[in-house]
């Protein structure tokens, strides 16, 4: 507390500068993901290699549908031209209707459609794939209904001519119901935290990253206050090294609690958090804060060099901010990074923070176990370092 009173201006700068910088970066990033820009219609190619009445009818229904064209602008072309457009990043994806596609449907054979997405437009490619999967699901449902009716007619002993006539009628009726499903089924809208409000996403995301940066800064500040003279006196009073680091960790958590409370109050005022289950929400966020402070406290115990401690901490913060989804949502990151995201602490902490703020069930048991493991690592590292210094 003496150090805080003596260097309060330094502490204000340490906490204010990251807040200003990250707030500005979050504002810029949020502008890049506004609702209008994310939902702006994009082009996708449809390649009809069958060229039958049935495929032309299906394509016409797709191109005439207001619900679909509000998102996807179909481009009817051949495969060579479609691949060229995909390579030139002019379309979000392409789908190929293969030869004999209509005949295979009539015979009950399942032939998959080839849907190719544009990796440079991950969100649009994902939406296009969902549209195609939806169409395939409803087509499969229609096909199952037609086959069921046909089997019933066969068991009833209807003549081949009557079965053929009824089959064609059912094919048309079931297909029209599938294509006109918005008139048959009730449409509901489910929004995730990010899709519902991009500013909510960045509000939570940047605050979690700020907790991580503040945890590092307060541990770095405490590390500078514990001079060799003070450490020697503590050791003379039989204050073991692991107790010193454990006390630093606990003091850092307590010191950052007012900032955590301020963040929750800001969430409530900005309608990001409704204020429900205050104790549960506060407890979950305190756990996340304790986890970040334990991370840097363990590094402080393991690394005696100040420069090495700062370098390693900076690398962890940089990797966490990029791959953890703080500025660029994990949805937009390249697929090859998915394997690494599981090893980034920020990925799990950010997911837990979203669940806590949204009032959903968060996997806090695993994070609690990780917190205990970090504290054990911190105490072990401090004990080893003290033994080496004594030797």
């Amino acid at each position: 507390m003496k150090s805080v009173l003596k260097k309060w201006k330094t502490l204000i700068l340490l906490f204010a500068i990251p807040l200003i910088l990250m707030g500005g970066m979050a504002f810029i990033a949020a502008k890049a993901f506004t609702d209008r820009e994310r939902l702006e219609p994009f082009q996708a190619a449809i390649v009809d290699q069958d060229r039958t009445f049935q495929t032309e009818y299906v394509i016409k229904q797709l191109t005439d549908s207001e619900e679909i064209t509000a998102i996807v602008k179909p481009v009817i072309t051949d495969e060579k031209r479609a691949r060229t457009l995909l390579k030139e990043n002019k379309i979000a994806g392409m789908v190929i209707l293969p030869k004999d596609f209509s005949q295979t449907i009539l015979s009950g054979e399942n032939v998959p459609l080839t849907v190719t997405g544009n990796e440079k437009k991950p969100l649009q490619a994902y939406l296009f794939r969902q549209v195609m999967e939806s169409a395939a699901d409803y087509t499969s449902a229609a096909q199952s209904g037609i086959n069921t009716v046909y089997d019933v007619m066969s068991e009833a002993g209807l003549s081949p001519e009557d079965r053929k006539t009824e089959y064609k009628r059912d094919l048309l009726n079931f297909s029209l119901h599938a294509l006109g499903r918005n008139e048959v089924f009730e449409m509901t809208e489910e929004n995730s935290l990010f899709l519902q409000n991009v500013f909510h996403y960045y509000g939570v995301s940047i605050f979690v990253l700020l907790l991580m940066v503040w945890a590092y800064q307060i541990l770095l500040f405490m590390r500078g206050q514990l001079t060799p003279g003070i450490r020697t006196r503590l050791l003379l009073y039989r204050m073991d090294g692991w107790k010193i680091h454990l006390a630093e960790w606990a003091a850092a958590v307590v010191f950052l609690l007012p900032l955590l409370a301020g963040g929750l109050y800001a969430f409530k005022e900005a309608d990001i958090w409704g204020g429900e289950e205050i104790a549960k929400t506060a407890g979950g966020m305190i756990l996340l804060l304790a986890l970040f402070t334990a991370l840097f406290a363990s590094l402080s115990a393991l690394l005696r060099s100040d420069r090495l401690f700062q370098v390693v901490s900076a690398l962890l913060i940089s990797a966490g901010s990029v791959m953890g989804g703080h500025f660029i949502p994990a949805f937009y990151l390249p697929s090859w990074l998915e394997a690494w995201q599981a090893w980034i602490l920020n990925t799990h902490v950010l997911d837990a923070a979203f669940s806590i703020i949204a009032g959903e069930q968060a996997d806090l048991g695993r994070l609690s176990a990780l917190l205990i493991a970090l504290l054990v690592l911190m105490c072990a590292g401090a004990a080893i370092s003290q033994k080496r210094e004594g030797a």
Side-chain angles (χ1 to χ4, degrees), residues 3 71 136 214 235 270 273 347 366:
S3 300
I71 302 175
W214 287 338
L235 293 177
W273 172 51
T347 302
R366 182 174 56 176

Side-chain angles (χ1 to χ4, degrees), residues 300-313:
S300 179
L302 292 170
L303 306 175
R304 303 310 305 165
S305 170
D306 289 341
R307 178 173 297 181
L308 186 58
F309 171 69
Q310 294 174 19
V311 170
V312 174
S313 299

Side-chain angles (χ1 to χ4, degrees), residues 278-292:
I278 298 178
K280 183 178 179 181
T281 303
M285 295 302 292
I286 290 174
L287 173 62
L288 303 184
L289 173 62
L291 192 58
F292 280 138

Side-chain angles (χ1 to χ4, degrees), residues 233-269:
R233 276 194 293 166
L234 290 173
L235 293 177
L236 289 175
Y237 284 106
R238 295 184 179 181
M239 178 66 75
D240 295 330
W242 68 270
K243 294 181 181 179
I244 296 175
H245 285 282
L246 192 61
E248 287 181 345
W249 167 76
V253 174
V254 173
F255 186 86
L256 294 176
L257 285 180
L259 296 176
L260 178 61
L264 291 177
Y265 177 78
F267 286 162
K268 189 176 184 304
E269 291 298 312

Side-chain angles (χ1 to χ4, degrees), residues 171-230:
L171 178 63
L172 179 61
N173 290 335
F174 277 88
S175 299
L176 288 177
H177 274 290
L179 292 170
R181 56 188 178 275
N182 287 336
E183 299 175 1
V184 180
F185 297 94
E186 180 182 358
M187 182 167 50
T188 60
E189 183 176 350
E190 296 289 342
N191 289 324
S192 66
L193 181 63
F194 170 57
L195 294 178
Q196 181 179 2
N197 193 323
V198 67
F199 293 103
H200 288 191
Y201 177 91
Y202 279 107
V204 177
S205 175
I206 297 305
F207 180 68
V208 171
L209 184 58
L210 280 172
L211 289 180
M212 184 182 192
V213 175
W214 287 338
Y216 158 69
Q217 289 180 325
I218 191 62
L219 263 300
L220 181 64
F221 179 81
M222 290 182 176
R223 185 184 176 102
Q225 305 312 306
L226 194 61
T227 62
I230 296 177

